[in-house]
Amino acid sequence: MSLRGECDPELVEFFWHWLMYPLLDMIGPELVYAIGLECLGYPPTWVDLKEEADLVESAVIEFLEKKARK
């Protein structure tokens, strides 16, 4: 469950790390949030480091690849 406004596309720039914007534009903040929460163990809106953003991006790509194989 996200905090109020974290998944609102209008407020993305206030909550999300700028490196994650392309991913958010591509698949939406709700899915990135859910996958990021699962892979990091904390909300992806807390990401401060490039390494964290890279982990979320890798997890999203893995999720999409698994979904495409089905």
Side-chain angles (χ1 to χ4, degrees):
M1 178 196 265
S2 64
L3 297 175
R4 187 174 185 206
E6 283 182 314
C7 291
D8 183 347
E10 300 288 322
L11 300 175
V12 161
E13 64 190 40
F14 297 108
F15 290 103
W16 294 84
H17 191 285
W18 67 271
L19 288 172
M20 300 174 86
Y21 290 178
L23 199 57
L24 296 167
D25 289 341
M26 185 173 76
I27 64 170
E30 295 87 2
L31 187 56
V32 176
Y33 190 93
I35 294 170
L37 185 61
E38 185 177 315
C39 81
L40 294 172
Y42 52 88
T45 51
W46 294 1
V47 165
D48 290 328
L49 304 173
K50 180 185 182 311
E51 291 80 9
E52 293 169 310
D54 290 344
L55 282 173
V56 174
E57 183 176 353
S58 295
V60 168
I61 290 169
E62 183 179 325
F63 171 82
L64 294 174
E65 287 173 346
K66 282 182 185 177
K67 190 172 181 174
R69 282 186 234 132
K70 289 184 180 182

